[in-house]
Amino acid sequence: MASALCALLLLAALAGPIALRLRRHPAFVTGRDGRLSTSTALALAWTVILVWLLLTILAHGLTSGGVSYFRGPDGPLSPLTTVYLPLLGGPYVALIAAKAVVGLRVERGTLAKPAAPPTASGRRPLRELIANDSGRTDLVDLQYVALSAVTMLYVVLFFLADVGAGLPRLPEEIWALTGAPAGAYLVNKMATRANPVITGASLSGDRLTVEGGGFTDARLTVDDTPLEARPDPVTGALTATLPPSAKPPFTLVATSRGLRSDPYRYEAPTLPAQQTAG
């Protein structure tokens, strides 16, 4: 029990400052579009867990068994190459390959990656880890995050159950819980079509401005009613005149080269309580 408690304290001391730093300045785990990167976040999480395991085992060995604790074919680090490095390899392969694929596709114009809209708090929402650029849940990202989290939980709980035994002797096949989702995540990055992406909309009088990317020769519809949209040469946003019959809330869809964006629900901004009372 004492060893498990010390291990938890070490995990908090290691992960706490990193989490606090990322909460204030998340740029380390964001992609080139400013959104949280699923592959980067999971690779970082696995790195933290592996470093924590190694440091805890080192501290336990030096305070109990000395150098002899680490020797022998069944020593505390014996599963490192057969289980834990493959577990870490999947997320890092996905991270490196996904960055390369997305970068090449953006340069060739086969993928739209508009900048992420700013948030009121300045922090990025954790939901971006399982969502696409339009903000809708992506099933591939969701399964990658969920299975990786479950695998991390297995590793942490089995280790805390017997810290003195060293790295938990999990089945070698457990690498598939990170390797297979990482492969699916990478294939999804390669197969994603260059759909237009709507990231935000604003209304000033009858002037509608739609922000996003991939708006090459785009057509815009409001509740399935087509509008004449004009691209802004400076920002790349679409502008259109909203007909008098269209009142918020309404659904926007952009179509470019036969590909449709995810529906974007626009709702009129709510007034602050003081203005409403006045």
Side-chain angles (χ1 to χ4, degrees), residues 226-270:
L227 299 181
E228 183 180 352
R230 299 172 296 277
D232 188 310
V234 177
T235 64
L238 294 178
T239 60
T241 301
L242 197 68
S245 58
K247 301 294 182 183
F250 49 73
T251 300
L252 298 167
V253 173
T255 304
S256 174
R257 294 173 294 189
L259 300 175
R260 288 165 52 92
S261 69
D262 286 334
Y264 181 89
R265 185 71 169 174
Y266 174 80
E267 298 182 0
T270 56

Side-chain angles (χ1 to χ4, degrees), residues 5 8 39 51 59 68 73 77 82 110 114 126 131 145 213 219:
L5 180 58
L8 284 175
S39 57
V51 169
S68 60
L77 301 181
T82 57
T110 59
L126 289 178
V145 172
R219 293 180 290 111

Side-chain angles (χ1 to χ4, degrees), residues 52-73:
W52 166 65
L53 291 173
L54 295 177
L55 288 178
T56 305
I57 292 171
L58 176 62
H60 181 82
L62 294 179
T63 56
S64 58
V67 178
S68 60
Y69 171 74
F70 298 94
R71 295 173 179 170

Side-chain angles (χ1 to χ4, degrees):
M1 181 62 71
S3 297
L5 180 58
C6 291
L8 284 175
L9 291 175
L10 180 58
L11 178 60
L14 183 65
I18 295 177
L20 184 60
R21 170 72 178 178
L22 293 179
R23 179 176 174 81
R24 294 176 177 175
H25 305 285
F28 184 69
V29 290
T30 57
R32 64 172 62 190
D33 56 1
R35 295 175 178 84
L36 292 179
S37 169
T38 304
S39 57
T40 303
L42 291 180
L44 175 62
W46 273 115
T47 300
V48 171
I49 287 179
L50 185 57
V51 169
W52 166 65
L53 291 173
L54 295 177
L55 288 178
T56 305
I57 292 171
L58 176 62
H60 181 82
L62 294 179
T63 56
S64 58
V67 178
S68 60
Y69 171 74
F70 298 94
R71 295 173 179 170
D74 296 325
L77 301 181
S78 57
L80 184 62
T81 57
T82 57
V83 176
Y84 292 91
L85 291 186
L87 272 179
L88 193 65
Y92 267 94
V93 169
L95 167 62
I96 297 170
K99 285 184 177 295
V101 168
V102 171
L104 288 174
R105 294 195 62 188
V106 170
E107 290 178 3
R108 295 175 180 177
T110 59
L111 182 66
K113 293 291 290 183
T119 60
S121 63
R123 304 187 182 102
R124 304 310 309 172
L126 289 178
R127 192 178 183 279
E128 290 182 343
L129 294 176
I130 59 170
N132 59 20
D133 293 343
S134 299
R136 303 184 70 184
T137 300
D138 188 302
L139 181 58
V140 176
D141 288 5
L142 176 60
Q143 59 88 30
Y144 187 24
V145 172
L147 290 178
S148 295
V150 170
T151 309
M152 292 178 195
L153 187 63
Y154 263 81
V155 172
V156 171
L157 292 182
F158 273 85
F159 179 67
L160 292 176
D162 190 0
V163 174
L167 294 175
R169 280 147 174 81
L170 301 173
E172 295 182 9
E173 295 81 5
I174 199 172
W175 69 267
L177 289 179
T178 59
Y185 174 84
L186 179 57
V187 171
N188 185 52
K189 292 294 184 183
M190 299 171 62
T192 300
R193 299 184 299 171
N195 293 60
V197 177
I198 298 178
T199 59
S202 59
L203 190 61
S204 178
D206 62 351
R207 179 184 173 86
L208 176 65
T209 302
V210 179
E211 300 172 347
F215 292 152
T216 304
D217 300 324
R219 293 180 290 111
L220 187 65
T221 62
V222 174
D223 289 337
D224 296 326
T225 300
L227 299 181
E228 183 180 352
R230 299 172 296 277
D232 188 310
V234 177
T235 64
L238 294 178
T239 60
T241 301
L242 197 68
S245 58
K247 301 294 182 183
F250 49 73
T251 300
L252 298 167
V253 173
T255 304
S256 174
R257 294 173 294 189
L259 300 175
R260 288 165 52 92
S261 69
D262 286 334
Y264 181 89
R265 185 71 169 174
Y266 174 80
E267 298 182 0
T270 56
L271 295 176
Q274 292 180 351
Q275 295 185 23
T276 303

